[in-house]
Amino acid sequence: TINTHKANRKPEMDGELKALNRALKIAIKKHFSGTLKLYILDSGSCGACELELQALFTPHYNVAQLGIHVVYDANNADIMFITGLLTENMYHQCQEDFQKLPASKQVITIGDCPLMHASFLKNFAIKGEVDKHFSTVYHIAGCPPEPRTLMRHLLRYLESL
């Protein structure tokens, strides 16, 4: 049988996660009036980075309560996250979405693939490194980067603004 008391309980946060949450909330309020809108574009990934990004919105990390939201139109985004290898098939979509971003055009690449640190380097289907085709402001390394790593680096980027 399922222990509903345990199943309905929110996971406990440790000290580091509490501190990250506080600092992110302050940085988001300072730079984005309390709401940071992310547009996530998979330019040809295996899906692992997206899973880690999704984990941020689970009850354990719950970044939505900090004011971080995913938007589905680049016109509405404050920051665009790009994951995966930049493939020929996704290049034009990336260009369109990049052009739709507001004037500041903040693009953060996530994972090792956007920098071509992957096993499929020289391939007819790969366009190349994301930062060679689009202006990027920050990179979060890892294959895939864990949710806390994503939070730490997002905080570092926001504090650098």
Side-chain angles (χ1 to χ4, degrees):
T1 63
I2 296 175
N3 182 342
T4 56
H5 176 69
K6 262 188 172 175
N8 293 330
R9 191 176 53 192
K10 187 175 179 185
E12 293 287 322
M13 278 195 220
D14 60 32
E16 181 199 18
L17 193 53
K18 284 180 184 176
L20 271 171
N21 281 353
R22 275 193 304 274
L24 273 169
K25 192 167 192 160
I26 291 166
I28 290 166
K29 188 172 186 174
K30 179 181 176 184
H31 297 290
F32 297 98
S33 303
T35 303
L36 173 59
K37 295 171 286 211
L38 303 175
Y39 178 73
I40 301 169
L41 179 65
D42 172 358
S43 64
S45 78
C46 68
C49 290
E50 289 78 14
L51 289 173
E52 298 299 323
L53 285 166
Q54 286 176 9
L56 291 174
F57 294 90
T58 63
H60 184 63
Y61 298 101
N62 199 9
V63 296
Q65 76 178 357
L66 308 177
I68 299 175
H69 301 284
V70 175
V71 294
Y72 299 98
D73 186 349
N75 289 317
N76 302 322
D78 296 312
I79 296 175
M80 180 164 77
F81 282 169
I82 297 180
T83 65
L85 295 160
L86 182 58
T87 62
E88 291 285 351
N89 285 345
M90 285 301 294
Y91 177 70
H92 296 292
Q93 183 65 49
C94 289
Q95 276 185 316
E96 285 178 29
D97 289 341
F98 183 78
Q99 293 308 317
K100 288 181 186 177
L101 286 172
S104 63
K105 296 201 185 301
Q106 297 180 62
V107 176
I108 295 176
T109 53
I110 296 177
D112 292 343
C113 292
L115 298 183
M116 300 296 290
H117 298 163
S119 54
F120 332 101
L121 297 180
K122 296 191 177 166
N123 184 311
F124 70 94
I126 307 302
K127 187 75 173 171
E129 294 178 33
V130 171
D131 61 350
K132 298 262 194 280
H133 299 278
F134 302 101
S135 174
T136 60
V137 294
Y138 197 81
H139 175 72
I140 302 172
C143 185
E146 296 177 351
R148 282 180 197 235
T149 302
L150 292 166
M151 292 173 75
R152 279 187 215 107
H153 281 278
L154 181 58
L155 178 59
R156 275 188 207 144
Y157 172 68
L158 294 177
E159 288 175 338
S160 74
L161 295 177

